[in-house]
Amino acid sequence: MSLRQRLVSQSSVIFGARLFGAGVIFLAQAAIARFWGADILGEYLLIIATVNIVAVVMPLGFETIGTYFAAEYRSKGEGRLLRGFMLRAYGHVAVTSLVLLFLGYPLAGLFGEPGRVLLAHWLPACLMALATAVVYCNSALLVGLKRPFAGFFADTIFRPLLIVLCFALAAMAGNAEAKFAELIWLLAIGFAVIAAAQFAWVLRAVRQVPEAMAATAAEQKRWWRFALPWVVIALATDFFFDIDLLLLSHFLDRESLAVFGVCTRVFSLVAFGVSAVYAVTLPEMFERNAAADRAGFMKQIGEANLVACAISVALFAIVVLTGPLLLMLFGPEFQVGVVPLAVLCLALCVRSLFGPAALVLSIRDRPYATLPAIGLGMGVLVGANILLVPAHGLMGAAAAALAAQTFWSAAMWLTAKRMAGIDVSIGPRLQELLAARRVKDV
């Protein structure tokens, strides 16, 4: 099986699982909107967005580099270094969860509407954040250890099914507020059970990596050099719309916020199809770079970009055609999100055209070089929201998000080209294919 075929095959399985999970979540969220009201759905989305953002910070960036270092230590047979990395990552989660529980409560009220919603469900929200942070660490390590299905399925299959189960159980409570409170508690307990089960799988996989040298001070500094910028990268990419949702809570009413939140969940679903391509190819990219195989390294990037672009275009077309039907599940008031959803999904094409610049810069030991581009993108997001959302509502929010992602993707690509000397966009691979076609025609 060729590299391109294998990438398509594994990415398709992972994306298929994500599609199934997202479909289940859509049904649950549609049921919340239909039976408990759009306001309750807005509160639910605010809690989930806040939990996701807090959870990605709790390991202090180590979950964002877990795939990278797990792939490196597995390829070199350095099991003791891998265990040392894991101890540090999960230790950070344990310490920050205690800080969050006891010190976060008095600070949450300072964040306006999101803080007010969170305070009403503080204990289950903290448990959800802890479990989610553990799942992030588990998944990253399992993907780096060449177990992508075990890494992704906890979040793509089991947690969505849990949401449906918890909704069904919570529906037996009293009024809508009581049902919602019970739902949050059930989700928190269920998330913790899933995180513990997946962690046991991580321990099993790590035992198969041979032991070598123990973690040294120099290696620990290297972890921090990668982790600190990558936690910012993860927040600005994987959790971009969670941050955006919190920003928009100051401009949009609860119902409009719920509509935009549903649109961002659709985007996150289709974006996962593109992200899965790069996650699957990361171990091979690292091995080519370690072997100083520049041609093989560039081929890995080119093939991944081709697959990612093809998937992004196909997914954009699917969203344009099926968007109205998906949003109709939530009620007629959600139909105003059809055009903003299409605008959001254009960002997928932008990402895949410019390529995995942040990944390449980290492989070349220059992770900090990505921070100015991220700062530019987030600055554009905040400024565009202030300028566009009050006048144009949901369309303004979608346009602001597209502008932010375009600016930072272009800036990231330019940074990688200048500092690493590599054009990570789809351009070089397309040129190779066109040149080969011309030679064949001759």
Side-chain angles (χ1 to χ4, degrees):
M1 183 182 293
S2 70
L3 171 63
R4 192 182 307 175
Q5 291 174 328
R6 185 162 54 83
L7 284 176
V8 172
S9 176
Q10 291 188 357
S11 300
S12 297
V13 172
I14 294 171
F15 181 65
R18 181 74 169 194
L19 184 63
F20 169 79
V24 172
I25 290 176
F26 280 146
L27 290 176
Q29 291 183 357
I32 292 174
R34 287 277 188 175
F35 297 109
W36 299 352
D39 288 350
I40 295 293
L41 178 60
E43 289 192 13
Y44 172 80
L45 294 176
L46 279 178
I47 290 176
I48 295 300
T50 305
V51 165
N52 287 340
I53 293 172
V54 171
V56 80
V57 175
M58 288 172 69
L60 303 184
F62 274 59
E63 86 288 0
T64 63
I65 59 172
T67 298
Y68 178 90
F69 282 102
E72 175 182 341
Y73 296 150
R74 181 202 58 79
S75 65
K76 296 179 180 179
E78 296 176 335
R80 294 183 69 183
L81 280 175
L82 177 58
R83 292 167 179 80
F85 179 89
M86 289 175 56
L87 181 63
R88 182 64 63 89
Y90 291 110
H92 291 165
V93 174
V95 172
T96 53
S97 63
L98 292 175
V99 173
L100 174 67
L101 179 62
F102 295 107
L103 299 182
Y105 188 85
L107 298 176
L110 302 177
F111 293 92
E113 181 66 13
R116 185 195 64 77
V117 173
L118 202 63
L119 287 175
H121 308 276
W122 183 251
L123 288 179
C126 288
L127 180 57
M128 288 172 66
L130 169 62
T132 304
V134 171
V135 167
Y136 289 158
C137 293
N138 294 343
S139 300
L141 290 167
L142 286 168
V143 172
L145 293 170
K146 287 195 170 181
R147 288 165 175 80
F149 298 148
F152 286 122
F153 283 1
D155 199 40
T156 58
I157 294 181
F158 297 117
R159 284 175 44 148
L161 291 175
L162 174 70
I163 292 172
V164 173
L165 175 62
C166 292
F167 173 79
L169 294 175
M172 295 183 288
N175 57 28
E177 291 291 342
K179 296 177 193 293
F180 181 59
E182 184 170 335
L183 172 66
I184 298 301
W185 264 112
L186 290 172
L187 287 177
I189 296 170
F191 283 6
V193 172
I194 291 174
Q198 191 188 32
F199 180 68
W201 196 274
V202 172
L203 294 179
R204 178 184 175 186
V206 169
R207 292 192 194 101
Q208 300 177 19
V209 180
E211 292 192 4
M213 60 180 293
T216 62
E219 192 69 11
Q220 292 175 11
K221 291 180 180 178
R222 183 166 170 251
W223 295 342
W224 282 112
R225 192 171 68 253
F226 279 72
L228 292 178
W230 262 100
V231 70
V232 179
I233 295 170
L235 283 171
T237 53
D238 298 340
F239 301 95
F240 173 87
F241 285 109
D242 292 299
I243 295 174
D244 197 18
L245 204 63
L246 297 181
L247 292 174
L248 291 173
S249 67
H250 300 284
F251 300 102
L252 299 176
D253 58 66
R254 196 71 60 81
E255 184 174 307
S256 297
L257 198 65
V259 174
F260 191 77
V262 170
C263 292
T264 64
R265 295 309 170 216
V266 176
F267 175 86
S268 297
L269 161 66
V270 294
F272 185 86
V274 177
S275 300
V277 174
Y278 297 114
V280 168
T281 195
L282 176 60
E284 285 79 7
M285 287 174 64
F286 179 83
E287 290 172 1
R288 296 292 185 276
N289 185 69
D293 180 6
R294 182 180 175 85
F297 182 74
M298 293 300 297
K299 183 179 179 181
Q300 291 280 343
I301 296 175
E303 292 295 327
N305 284 339
L306 281 177
V307 174
C309 281
I311 290 176
S312 64
V313 172
L315 291 174
F316 172 75
I318 291 172
V319 167
V320 170
L321 294 174
T322 63
L325 296 176
L326 289 174
L327 294 176
M328 182 59 73
L329 293 174
F330 293 82
E333 65 270 26
F334 283 79
Q335 287 299 298
V336 295
V338 171
V339 178
L341 174 59
V343 172
L344 286 179
C345 289
L346 286 174
L348 277 182
C349 302
V350 173
R351 283 190 191 179
S352 52
L353 286 173
F354 282 109
L359 214 66
V360 171
L361 286 168
S362 286
I363 290 175
R364 292 303 176 93
D365 203 19
R366 297 181 182 226
Y368 282 97
T370 61
L371 297 182
I374 292 173
L376 173 65
M378 296 308 294
V380 170
L381 177 66
V382 173
N385 275 336
I386 294 173
L387 291 175
L388 298 177
V389 175
H392 303 285
L394 290 172
M395 273 303 299
L402 177 60
Q405 297 218 7
T406 301
F407 271 91
W408 103 46
S409 296
M412 202 90 77
W413 165 78
L414 184 61
T415 301
K417 189 171 183 180
R418 287 183 174 179
M419 300 194 70
I422 298 176
D423 185 348
V424 299
S425 72
I426 196 174
R429 186 58 179 159
L430 287 179
Q431 292 174 2
E432 290 179 9
L433 293 176
L434 290 174
R437 182 65 180 268
R438 286 196 293 267
V439 171
K440 185 178 179 180
D441 292 340
V442 173

